[in-house]
Amino acid sequence: MYPIQPMKSSTLGIRMIRPSSSSNIQRRFAGPRHFHSVAKTASRKHLGEVCDLKRFQRQTVQKTMRRHRFSSTAAEEVVEEPSYNTLKIIALGQAIPFIGFGFMDNAILIVAGDAIDTYLGVTLGISTLCAAAIGNIISDLAGIGLGTAIEDFCANRLKLPTPDLSTAQRQLRRVRFAGQMGMALGMTFGCIV
């Protein structure tokens, strides 16, 4: 079929062969899915076909290849951690809009739930909890519609400070956690008010 060159066997007991030309590589790896993924991730110079693999062996090879690929990219990129004050600014910038959202959401829920319970509860024979659930639906729909207006108000009128962070810094766990804590505290405070 295709001329092949034997390669050294690995510690997994896997028989490996190397195709003799690059055109053979494309033909050989066009078939099964696991061969295609090996072909995509391995460099063309050291590309070899892994034959007669059992499922656990194939998974081990794939994990090793993924680990090697991610460890090489992680070693290249060093991201500076933001300061504590920067994290406070992020939390505050997320908390203030959510105070308005929590207040608006709770206010509409209470007013709509009470009106539905008073007027439709008796007529349709629904319970107070059912009226509150319908009020929650109305409140959530209003929250979707008014969420943009609240964010625009906070950005344009209040001129909240925004820290200058890179994309890699925004992906850090501490930065995301600070934003989520700000949202949670703002929503809680807004619902209490």
Side-chain angles (χ1 to χ4, degrees), residues 79-101:
V79 180
E80 182 183 345
E81 291 282 330
S83 67
Y84 182 71
N85 287 334
T86 304
L87 295 176
K88 286 195 313 190
I89 290 171
I90 292 169
L92 182 68
Q94 293 293 326
I96 292 177
F98 273 86
I99 291 172
F101 179 77

Side-chain angles (χ1 to χ4, degrees), residues 8-116:
K8 219 161 133 182
S9 63
S10 69
T11 56
L12 292 173
I14 301 170
R15 185 174 57 99
M16 299 178 75
I17 56 174
R18 179 181 302 219
S20 61
S21 70
S22 63
S23 63
N24 286 343
I25 290 172
Q26 293 171 351
R27 275 185 264 162
R28 301 282 287 184
F29 286 111
R33 184 168 43 173
H34 62 276
F35 288 145
H36 184 67
S37 66
V38 170
K40 277 174 56 176
T41 55
S43 69
R44 202 173 196 117
K45 183 179 177 186
H46 300 289
L47 187 61
E49 181 179 355
V50 182
C51 295
D52 300 328
L53 287 179
K54 297 199 180 342
R55 184 174 181 206
F56 75 93
Q57 292 171 327
R58 193 168 51 246
Q59 289 172 347
T60 304
V61 170
Q62 289 172 346
K63 284 179 188 175
T64 305
M65 291 175 72
R66 269 190 237 115
R67 191 176 327 122
H68 175 68
R69 187 174 64 204
F70 291 132
S71 66
S72 64
T73 57
E76 296 170 3
E77 197 174 316
V78 176
V79 180
E80 182 183 345
E81 291 282 330
S83 67
Y84 182 71
N85 287 334
T86 304
L87 295 176
K88 286 195 313 190
I89 290 171
I90 292 169
L92 182 68
Q94 293 293 326
I96 292 177
F98 273 86
I99 291 172
F101 179 77
F103 176 76
M104 183 264 325
D105 188 51
N106 236 13
I108 293 174
L109 170 69
I110 291 170
V111 171
D114 185 47
I116 291 169

